[in-house]
Amino acid sequence: MAKIILPLAEIQVRNAKPRDKPYKLFDGGGLFLDVACSGSRTWRFKFRQKNGKENTLTFGRYPEISLLEAREKRLEARRLLAHGIDPAKHRDDAKRLALEQASNTFEKIAREWHANKVPTWCKSTAKNILRRLEVDIFDEIGDRPIGEIRHRELIAVLRKIEQRGAGEVAHRMKAVCAQIFSYAIQCGLADRNLVVDMRDVLKTRRGSHFAAIDADELPAFLDALERQAARMYMPTRTALRLMLLVFLRTSELIETPWSEIDLEKGEWIIPWQRMKRGRLTVNPDMTNHHVCLSRQALALLRGLHAITGRSKHLFPNQRDHERPISNNTILVALERMGYKGRMTGHGFRALAMSTIKERLGYRHEVIDRQLAHAPKDKVASAYDRAQFLAERRKMMQGWADYIDAVVKDSHR
C-alpha cells in the first residue's frame, strides 16, 4: 500500500530548522522542501522521465518561493508531464529562449536586416538608411530586445524625430522600422509588427512635387543663370546648363564618366545599370538610355572636356577627383541664383516635360521615353524606345533652339 503523505502546513515550512544532516519535508505529488545544514530551504520536485529514470527539478528557495507558489509550480510541471513533456527540458529551453531574446536587440536585428538588403540597394541608399538608424533609433531603443519593445516606446522615438521638424524623416524611419519588425517575425524573434497599428501616430504628410519653375518663368531663370555665371566654377555652370538641355536625373548627370560619351560621334549613351529603372531588383529595365545630344549640349561637353577630360567623371569632386560632385552642388548653385525652394535638379525634368508638350507640341510618349520613364506597355517598351529615337533627337534639338530663342528675346 502506497505511503500517504500529508500536505505541509505553512508553519512547518516556516519553522524548519537546520540539523546535523540535510533532510526533506514532503508535501506530496513529488514536491518537497530540502533543508540544508546551513539552514537554506529549497523547493524541489521529483518526477520520473519517459525512460523511467528519476529526475529532480528545483523551483527556488523559501521564503522567496512560498508554499503556495511551489504547489503552483508542481501543478504546472505535472501538466507538462501529462502531455509527455519533460519539465526540466522545458525549463532549460525557456531559459535558453529568454537569453536568446535578450541578446537579439533591436540594433542587432536591424543591422542583420540592413546587411541582407545592401545587395539590393545602391550605396547611397544603404549608407543613408544605416546612418538614420544610428542617429535616430539606436540611441533610443537599440539595446532593447526587439520582442519586448512596446508601441509607446517606438511612437516616442518617431515623434521625437517629428518634433524637431523632420516629419519626412520620421515617416521614412517608420517604414524602415516596419521592415525590421517584419524581418524579426520571419526569424521567429518577434510576434507582432508594431508599426502596422501606427497609421495615425505621426502628422499626415501633404503630397508635394519637386519645386520647379514653369515655361513663363524660364526667361527670368536664364537671365539669373547668365548673371551668376561669372561667380560659378565653369563645371557648375555647365552642369546647370546640361540639366536644362538634357533633363537627366541629377545623379545620372553628375555621376557620368567620360567613357559614356563619344565626342567625335556626338553620342551619349548611359548603360542601363546606371539608370533608375535599371537598378530595380525585380524586373530591371535593361535598355541603355540615349541622351540625344543637341548641337548646344555637345558644344558644352566639348568645352567641359578641355577642363575635366583627364578626370574619370564629367564633374569631378574638387577634394577627390575619383568621385563626382554631390547633388548638393546643384542645389547650392540654384540657391545662389535666388531659386531656393523654387527650383531643384529634378525640377528641370518637370520644366522640360510641360514646356515641350505645351510650346513645342511633342507627344507625351516621346517626352516620356526621353525622361526614361517606365512605359505603360511593358511588352512594347523596347520597340517603342527604338521607334521614338529619331523623333527624340529632333525634339532635343528643338528644345535647345527654343531655349536659345528665349535668351535672344530677353535681350531685346
Side-chain angles (χ1 to χ4, degrees):
M1 184 176 178
K3 183 178 179 181
I4 298 175
I5 299 175
L6 296 176
L8 292 170
E10 180 66 32
I11 192 169
Q12 290 177 273
V13 178
R14 191 185 315 125
N15 293 336
K17 304 298 181 184
R19 300 175 185 173
D20 293 338
K21 294 182 179 180
Y23 66 97
K24 299 177 178 65
L25 294 177
F26 293 93
D27 187 60
L31 178 65
F32 63 92
L33 184 71
D34 196 350
V35 185
C37 298
S38 63
S40 66
R41 293 162 289 182
T42 305
W43 292 110
R44 303 189 195 280
F45 173 70
K46 184 181 289 186
F47 66 96
R48 196 173 295 278
Q49 297 174 313
K50 286 182 179 180
N51 58 12
K53 292 183 179 180
E54 285 191 347
N55 197 0
T56 302
L57 189 64
T58 299
F59 288 158
R61 290 189 176 187
Y62 179 87
E64 288 84 359
I65 302 296
S66 67
L67 174 59
L68 181 60
E69 289 172 323
R71 285 172 175 167
E72 290 173 351
K73 288 179 177 291
R74 174 185 61 191
L75 180 59
E76 183 182 346
R78 290 176 71 85
R79 283 186 183 132
L80 290 171
L81 286 167
H83 288 85
I85 300 171
D86 186 327
K89 185 177 183 302
H90 180 78
R91 175 203 59 192
D92 294 341
D93 290 344
K95 285 183 178 179
R96 191 180 305 110
L97 179 61
L99 287 172
E100 183 179 319
Q101 289 178 336
S103 66
N104 286 314
T105 63
F106 183 90
E107 179 172 352
K108 178 185 175 185
I109 302 307
R111 289 186 182 277
E112 283 183 12
W113 166 81
H114 183 270
N116 284 348
K117 297 289 285 185
V118 163
T120 68
W121 291 330
C122 63
K123 289 182 180 180
S124 60
T125 298
K127 182 180 178 181
N128 289 338
I129 290 176
L130 184 58
R131 180 177 174 277
R132 287 263 64 92
L133 284 168
E134 291 172 342
V135 170
D136 292 319
I137 309 294
F138 291 165
D139 284 348
E140 304 292 335
I141 58 171
D143 60 350
R144 296 273 286 118
I146 195 164
E148 295 180 11
I149 296 173
R150 297 294 174 257
H151 283 78
R152 293 189 65 84
E153 293 177 85
L154 187 55
I155 291 170
V157 173
L158 295 173
R159 283 182 174 168
K160 186 175 180 180
I161 302 170
E162 184 181 59
Q163 286 164 4
R164 71 166 190 255
E168 183 67 27
V169 174
H171 279 277
R172 288 179 186 175
M173 295 317 298
K174 176 185 164 189
V176 167
C177 288
Q179 293 186 56
I180 293 169
F181 274 101
S182 176
Y183 174 77
I185 291 170
Q186 294 172 59
C187 293
L189 303 173
D191 299 321
R192 188 177 182 184
N193 192 328
L194 305 185
V195 186
V196 172
D197 300 326
M198 294 185 184
R199 294 178 182 175
D200 302 314
V201 298
L202 297 176
K203 294 177 183 177
T204 304
R205 294 173 293 177
R206 290 184 178 180
S208 61
H209 299 285
F210 290 99
I213 61 173
D214 58 29
D216 291 335
E217 297 174 283
L218 183 56
F221 177 84
L222 292 170
D223 182 60
L225 178 58
E226 188 174 338
R227 283 187 283 106
Q228 285 287 332
R231 303 180 186 180
M232 296 180 189
Y233 288 113
M234 188 272 192
T236 305
R237 296 199 306 268
T238 302
L240 284 173
R241 286 172 173 158
L242 282 173
M243 291 285 286
L244 185 61
L245 287 169
V246 300
F247 43 88
L248 290 170
R249 296 178 180 91
T250 306
S251 61
E252 292 166 359
L253 175 72
I254 65 177
E255 294 174 8
T256 298
W258 279 110
S259 58
E260 291 180 4
I261 298 174
D262 189 330
L263 294 175
E264 294 299 321
K265 293 181 179 180
E267 290 184 350
W268 181 353
I269 301 175
I270 302 178
W272 61 268
Q273 295 91 334
R274 214 164 61 73
M275 299 299 293
K276 180 180 179 180
R277 290 190 51 76
R279 294 196 299 267
L280 295 175
T281 54
V282 178
N283 297 325
D285 185 341
M286 294 186 286
T287 307
N288 294 336
H289 181 63
H290 289 254
V291 178
C292 298
L293 294 172
S294 61
R295 294 188 304 276
Q296 293 88 330
L298 185 57
L300 283 172
L301 287 170
R302 284 173 175 157
L304 181 66
H305 188 266
I307 297 174
T308 68
R310 293 185 179 181
S311 300
K312 177 181 177 181
H313 297 95
L314 273 66
F315 306 102
N317 190 293
Q318 289 187 0
R319 295 182 180 178
D320 182 359
H321 284 195
E322 290 301 308
R323 295 172 52 227
I325 59 174
S326 69
N327 286 11
N328 202 43
T329 304
I330 302 296
L331 291 175
V332 170
L334 290 169
E335 182 179 345
R336 288 176 179 170
M337 290 171 57
Y339 281 82
K340 182 179 182 180
R342 298 170 56 198
M343 188 61 169
T344 61
H346 203 88
F348 288 106
R349 292 166 63 79
L351 170 65
M353 166 67 88
S354 60
T355 309
I356 292 174
K357 283 174 66 176
E358 295 170 7
R359 305 291 171 91
L360 303 186
Y362 279 88
R363 292 178 296 135
H364 179 88
E365 294 84 355
V366 179
I367 310 169
D368 235 21
R369 296 302 183 272
Q370 191 58 43
L371 288 164
H373 284 165
K376 294 180 180 179
D377 184 353
K378 306 291 184 183
V379 176
S381 62
Y383 170 78
D384 283 348
R385 285 179 187 274
Q387 183 77 2
F388 295 150
L389 196 54
E391 196 171 354
R392 282 160 51 195
R393 289 194 180 103
K394 182 180 177 182
M395 177 187 73
M396 295 300 278
Q397 186 58 57
W399 171 238
D401 292 341
Y402 174 83
I403 294 171
D404 282 350
V406 171
V407 173
K408 289 179 181 178
D409 287 343
S410 67
H411 288 166
R412 289 176 182 175

